[in-house]
Amino acid sequence: MEDYQKDQLRKICRGNLLFNVLLKDFISFRVGGPADVIAFPQDQEDLISLMLFLREEKMPFLVLGEGTNLVVRDKGVKGVVLKLSPAFLGIEITKGKEGEFYVSSKAGERLWHLIEITVQHCLTGLEFASGIPGSVGGAVVMNAGAYGREMKDIVHSLSVLASDGSVRHLKKEALRFSYRSLELPADAIVLTVNVVLRPGNKETIAQDIKATLAKRKKKQPLEFPSAGSVFKNPPGFYAARLIEESGLKGYQIGGAQISERHANFIVNCGKATAQDILDLIAVVQEKVWQAKNIKLEPEIRVAGEA
């Protein structure tokens, strides 16, 4: 990044700016090289100003929530990383028709906090997401899900910031959800997520959440840094079973290992590099293709300089 661009960013951004900071400290895998700049917009107007500047300068950017579904390459990220929290926090609940409740969450909120608030208000519908890490915005962009339910099942509408600096309100009918994905306009940033929930019994909701968390703790290697499930489940199959049946459970490259507990998790055993993880992903894809004639598609996203 040119010095004049850094100077311009200092003038434009009212929030904090960090230069040449390792991104491994901001993502759950604990790998990744430096970012030219991490910007923490002070508010929506600040974010719009940054977006317009980045568009004018044709600078790349990466929106970073909680960094829970991401691998950042070892050479880092060129351009600007936009970190939406803590400025983009807030949850509001309003009563709708036929017993429904609309819950509006800013994109920077952590998903677990949204679930906690819905429990306090005795609202059911988000229990399936218990234990899924990350921000609310990230959960929607990835159409996060578990146990047969996905975010698309409860989303009512979104507010997004377009690349031209305008804020657009998109209703569910205009949203193109697919398995672990949401198609949005190029460079759009989710600002607010509105979901529809229904009243429920607080004790029953709490019990369902407790059971879901216990199931995750038993089956998933939560004691190691990871990014959750690495591969999407192919139609009619479970990725973890395909990987295990291909003889890869426990397979390791450098500090990255296919978990002994859950074969669709890659864990950082302590000194993994991003390249270790990417190499391991490639090995899994090749071995499963050879053994099962099935191509596994990664669920996690990869960013940064190759």
Side-chain angles (χ1 to χ4, degrees):
M1 180 180 291
E2 301 292 335
D3 287 341
Y4 85 89
Q5 292 175 321
K6 293 180 180 179
D7 291 338
Q8 283 296 102
L9 281 170
R10 291 187 181 99
K11 293 176 182 177
I12 291 168
C13 184
R14 290 182 283 110
N16 290 331
L17 294 172
L18 299 178
F19 294 90
N20 198 36
V21 176
L22 287 176
L23 282 167
K24 69 177 184 179
D25 296 327
F26 292 86
I27 72 168
S28 62
F29 247 137
R30 296 294 180 259
V31 298
D36 283 346
V37 182
I38 303 180
F40 299 80
Q42 195 171 79
D43 49 34
Q44 186 169 301
E45 289 70 27
D46 206 15
L47 178 60
I48 291 172
S49 297
L50 281 166
M51 175 70 88
L52 293 175
F53 171 75
L54 295 172
R55 184 184 185 188
E56 181 181 344
E57 292 290 321
K58 297 181 180 179
M59 291 177 62
F61 68 89
L62 170 69
V63 180
L64 185 64
E66 294 298 306
T68 56
N69 205 51
L70 180 69
V71 177
V72 173
R73 291 189 174 98
D74 298 309
K75 288 187 178 180
V77 174
K78 297 297 182 185
V80 177
V81 173
L82 297 171
K83 190 80 168 72
L84 296 190
S85 56
F88 294 80
L89 303 177
I91 298 171
E92 295 182 359
I93 299 175
T94 57
K95 190 173 183 179
K97 299 177 181 179
E98 299 178 357
E100 294 178 334
F101 283 79
Y102 296 100
V103 183
S104 177
S105 172
K106 296 290 181 65
E109 282 285 357
R110 292 182 177 180
L111 187 57
W112 67 262
H113 185 234
L114 175 60
I115 295 171
E116 189 177 70
I117 294 297
T118 61
V119 173
Q120 292 173 7
H121 287 80
C122 303
L123 298 177
T124 182
L126 257 175
E127 293 89 332
F128 74 91
S130 302
I132 295 178
S135 65
V136 174
V140 169
V141 170
M142 294 304 299
N143 190 22
Y147 311 116
R149 298 269 289 165
E150 299 172 305
M151 291 300 292
K152 73 177 181 64
D153 298 328
I154 58 173
V155 167
H156 173 265
S157 60
L158 303 178
S159 293
V160 303
L161 175 63
S163 61
D164 62 1
S166 64
V167 177
R168 302 178 185 178
H169 302 282
L170 306 176
K171 296 214 171 168
K172 185 172 184 177
E173 304 83 68
L175 299 174
R176 294 184 178 182
F177 282 103
S178 58
Y179 179 57
R180 298 297 176 266
S181 181
L182 168 61
E183 184 180 331
L184 289 171
D187 292 336
I189 300 174
V190 175
L191 298 174
T192 306
V193 176
N194 303 299
V195 301
V196 180
L197 303 177
R198 290 187 172 276
N201 179 275
K202 187 173 185 178
E203 185 176 338
T204 301
I205 296 169
Q207 288 176 348
D208 289 345
I209 289 173
K210 184 178 180 180
T212 299
L213 291 174
K215 191 182 298 185
R216 285 184 177 278
K217 186 175 181 180
K218 181 179 179 181
K219 293 184 176 181
Q220 299 178 0
L222 303 179
E223 67 275 21
F224 292 104
S226 77
S229 295
V230 175
F231 298 99
K232 299 178 182 179
N233 289 323
F237 298 91
Y238 289 105
R241 185 171 297 171
L242 293 171
I243 296 167
E244 186 171 353
E245 290 176 353
S246 299
L248 291 170
K249 206 170 188 181
Y251 189 85
Q252 187 165 343
I253 294 179
Q257 181 188 49
I258 297 172
S259 170
E260 295 275 9
R261 186 177 299 177
H262 193 304
N264 198 18
F265 274 61
I266 290 177
V267 297
N268 182 347
C269 296
K271 296 183 178 180
T273 64
Q275 195 59 52
D276 290 340
I277 294 166
L278 296 176
D279 289 345
L280 194 50
I281 288 173
V283 167
V284 171
Q285 289 177 305
E286 177 65 22
K287 295 292 186 182
V288 171
W289 174 255
Q290 291 177 353
K292 303 292 184 178
N293 200 32
I294 295 174
K295 184 177 180 180
L296 289 181
E297 182 182 350
E299 179 175 321
I300 60 176
R301 298 187 175 186
V302 180
E305 295 293 298

